[in-house]
Structures are given as structure tokens and as C-alpha cells.
Amino acid sequence: MGLIENPKTYTGRDLETIFFRPMFAGQNAEQLGIRVMYNMPVPTTIQMWSPNSDVLKAYSSGWTGGDSASRMQKSIEMSKLKAEVGFSASDYFQSVYELITGRADVNLDDLTGSELEQAETEMFRAAIAESLRVMMWIGDKSAAAYNTMDGILTRATRYSAASSDVSKFTGVSGTVTADNVIDLLKGMWTMARPELKALRSEGNLTYFVTTDIYDAYEEYLDNHAADGAYVDLVSGRRELSYHGIKIVDMGITQYITKSGDAPSYCLLTDRRNLVLAVNTSDYPGSEVRMWYNPDAMENRQRAVFLAGTEILDETLMVWAQL
């Protein structure tokens, strides 16, 4: 039987394939709701190409061509992150074994080292994934908490203050309720630039909102006396949308509460315009390590990697802070 205090270290290829890539690929990446870039070269630079809409010319002899597309380049600021967690030996043992006993395919009389390793890895990976998701939205290097990197909402605030090209909606103030939530959603859509509205047919436009706005819109739908509304009221809704545009709860309200008052956020953009970049290969010392410290009788876990966020084109968004 494998010992729970056996040290485990992931570096290089193992760090990517065993630990990090499962968090940022496939369905897990889709659940974040934004574009995820993993192990792009550092400094991570995005090339954005826009096709020329006026390439057709009247036929004439000779060369009349030009550039077929315009290019815009933007670098993503990467921050060095470190996650460290310590458990007492008894608490760690119970947490890891709870994950194992919940699996139907495990023989509890013969727990191999690999099964223990999977449970330990999953527990630490879940903690990092949630912390990175929260930091992705509300991270602020100048704040007292969640300050290891700047998140998307922090960047939206900064870009709005620095340029009049960033659209900030102020048509609704105070608490968002079922009575004024449509004013918020409709007002932001009306304010959106034509370039943003043109992306609607591609199916990636999204309202990213805090929980109170999500609940207010759901209450607004419940108040409509129709058969469909009754079915939704009884069975619930798998997802919400406004005029075909998805409404996604960022799940950050519990983290931004300050003295009992949590600000509300709403961000309308193409989800591909928001980027989370993670790198575990281009930074010396990137690793995940799990070991047992006999002096402190404590199981410890550490992860070191690079991560950063960016709004690729700040003009292709409308946001509101209430």
C-alpha cells in the first residue's frame, strides 16, 4: 500500500500533462467561459488580424493590390504565482481518503500509490483552479487581497479611465432588480459599437454578470405568466440568455463582498476577447511539489507557475459597475 507521505514532484512534461493541462483543456476550459492560452512562449504576444473589407476593385491591367488584412499586436502581462497549502497529517489523510472512498472502482483493501497520488493531485488541482478563476476576474495588484495579478474587471476599470473608446454604461444605478434588469441589458446592447454587434451571429457574445444580476433576470423571467415560464419555474433553467446572448454568472460575489456591500458588475463582450494565459514551461523553477514534513507533522503542497489576463480589444466591450 502506498504511503500518503511519499513526496511527489511534477516538473517539465509531467507538470503539463498530469497537473495543469487537464485544468485548461476541453470542457474545463469551456467552463471558464473565456479564451484560455496554455504554454504560449513568454512574453506571450497575441497577433490579431482583421480582414480588409475593401479588397474588391474594378478590373484593370497592372497590380492594384494592397494588404489583405490589418494586424494588431498585444502582449499579455504574465505574473509569477505561487500556491502553498499545509495540512495537519490527520486532516490531510481524511481529505485525501474521502476522495478515494467516493469512487466506486477503488478496492479499499488494496490502495496503490497511484490512487493516492491521483487523490492528492485532484485535491490540490481543484484549489488552484478555483483560486485562478477568481483571480482571473477580480485580481488587483494594488488591493489587499487577490493581488498576485490584475484580473479582467480591474483591466476594464483601468482601460475605461484611460480612454474614452471604452464603453461604460451608467444608465442604471443602485440595486439591480427584476424591474430594471432589462434596462441594464438593453442599455448595454444599445451602447455597443457596431463592430461588437456584428459578432453576434458567431454565437460568442456573452453578458458576464455577478450573481445578483443573474438572479434579477431569472426573477424577471419568472414573472411572465406563460407555459414556458411555469415549466422553467418548476424545473429550473440550465442557462439564461437575452435575445440569444448568453448570460453567465461569474461566481465572484462571495469574494468581492466588502463590509456587507458587494459591487455589481456586468460585462458584454465576445468571450474570445477575454484571455487567461497560463505558462508552466518558460519559467525556471515551475513545479508542483507535494511532501510530508515530519518536524511539523504536516503535509505540504506547492505550485509555481506564470499566469496573466488581458482584454484583447477594449473597444469591443461594454461594461457597468453598479
Side-chain angles (χ1 to χ4, degrees):
M1 178 175 175
L3 298 177
I4 202 166
E5 64 264 23
N6 285 346
K8 301 169 185 65
T9 302
Y10 301 104
T11 58
R13 187 68 176 172
D14 288 341
L15 180 62
E16 175 182 349
T17 58
I18 296 176
F19 198 88
F20 275 97
R21 184 167 288 277
M23 286 194 292
F24 305 115
Q27 185 177 2
N28 288 334
E30 293 176 2
Q31 289 174 351
L32 288 175
I34 70 172
R35 183 177 176 184
V36 178
M37 303 184 68
Y38 183 66
N39 270 0
M40 297 289 289
V42 175
T44 302
T45 302
I46 307 296
Q47 310 287 343
M48 292 169 285
W49 298 87
S50 299
N52 189 343
S53 61
D54 190 23
V55 297
L56 296 177
K57 308 293 182 181
Y59 177 78
S60 62
S61 60
W63 174 257
T64 59
D67 294 334
S68 63
S70 59
R71 186 189 73 168
M72 183 174 70
Q73 179 174 298
K74 197 162 192 178
S75 296
I76 299 178
E77 179 187 1
M78 303 291 284
S79 300
K80 300 175 183 178
L81 305 182
K82 180 175 73 170
E84 291 182 328
V85 179
F87 298 86
S88 69
S90 59
D91 291 342
Y92 191 79
F93 182 89
Q94 293 297 329
S95 299
V96 171
Y97 267 64
E98 183 178 355
L99 292 177
I100 296 175
T101 55
R103 291 170 46 192
D105 60 337
V106 173
N107 180 2
L108 296 179
D109 293 328
D110 183 21
L111 290 175
T112 64
S114 62
E115 288 167 345
L116 289 171
E117 184 174 356
Q118 289 175 10
E120 286 181 290
T121 301
E122 181 58 32
M123 184 172 64
F124 194 30
R125 186 161 52 200
I128 291 177
E130 176 63 8
S131 181
L132 191 57
R133 185 192 68 80
V134 175
M135 199 78 64
M136 173 186 79
W137 290 115
I138 67 172
D140 185 351
K141 288 185 176 181
S142 63
Y146 303 107
N147 55 12
T148 55
M149 70 180 189
D150 287 334
I152 291 169
L153 295 178
T154 300
R155 295 185 181 280
T157 304
R158 181 187 306 156
Y159 295 154
S160 178
S163 173
S164 59
D165 292 334
V166 180
S167 301
K168 182 177 181 180
F169 179 73
T170 58
V172 173
S173 60
T175 303
V176 178
T177 66
D179 296 327
N180 63 7
V181 67
I182 295 301
D183 295 335
L184 173 65
L185 301 178
K186 182 179 179 180
M188 294 183 68
W189 173 254
T190 302
M191 193 176 186
R193 291 172 176 266
E195 294 85 355
L196 179 59
K197 292 182 177 180
L199 298 173
R200 180 177 179 175
S201 61
E202 299 182 18
N204 288 297
L205 290 190
T206 305
Y207 286 97
F208 294 99
V209 302
T210 45
T211 303
D212 59 326
I213 297 176
Y214 191 94
D215 290 344
Y217 183 58
E218 191 164 35
E219 182 181 350
Y220 167 83
L221 297 177
D222 290 341
N223 290 337
H224 284 67
D227 292 342
Y230 175 77
V231 172
D232 289 340
L233 184 63
V234 174
S235 304
R237 302 173 178 88
R238 297 183 62 181
E239 61 181 29
L240 300 182
S241 61
Y242 173 71
H243 287 181
I245 302 174
K246 287 186 178 180
I247 299 178
V248 174
D249 186 352
M250 292 181 286
I252 59 172
T253 300
Q254 64 271 34
Y255 302 107
I256 59 177
T257 301
K258 298 177 181 178
S259 301
D261 180 27
S264 302
Y265 293 96
C266 185
L267 177 65
L268 169 62
T269 188
D270 189 302
R271 69 178 189 87
R272 298 168 297 184
N273 193 34
L274 309 179
V275 174
L276 169 66
V278 178
N279 191 292
T280 61
S281 63
D282 290 345
Y283 172 55
S286 293
E287 66 171 4
V288 170
R289 184 185 300 270
M290 292 176 276
W291 74 100
Y292 177 70
N293 185 317
D295 293 335
M297 299 182 66
E298 184 178 65
N299 284 83
R300 294 178 175 177
Q301 300 172 317
R302 175 188 294 141
V304 180
F305 59 98
L306 295 173
T309 64
E310 188 55 270
I311 301 172
L312 298 183
D313 188 345
E314 57 269 23
T315 66
L316 293 180
M317 70 172 187
V318 182
W319 80 289
Q321 179 179 349
L322 308 170

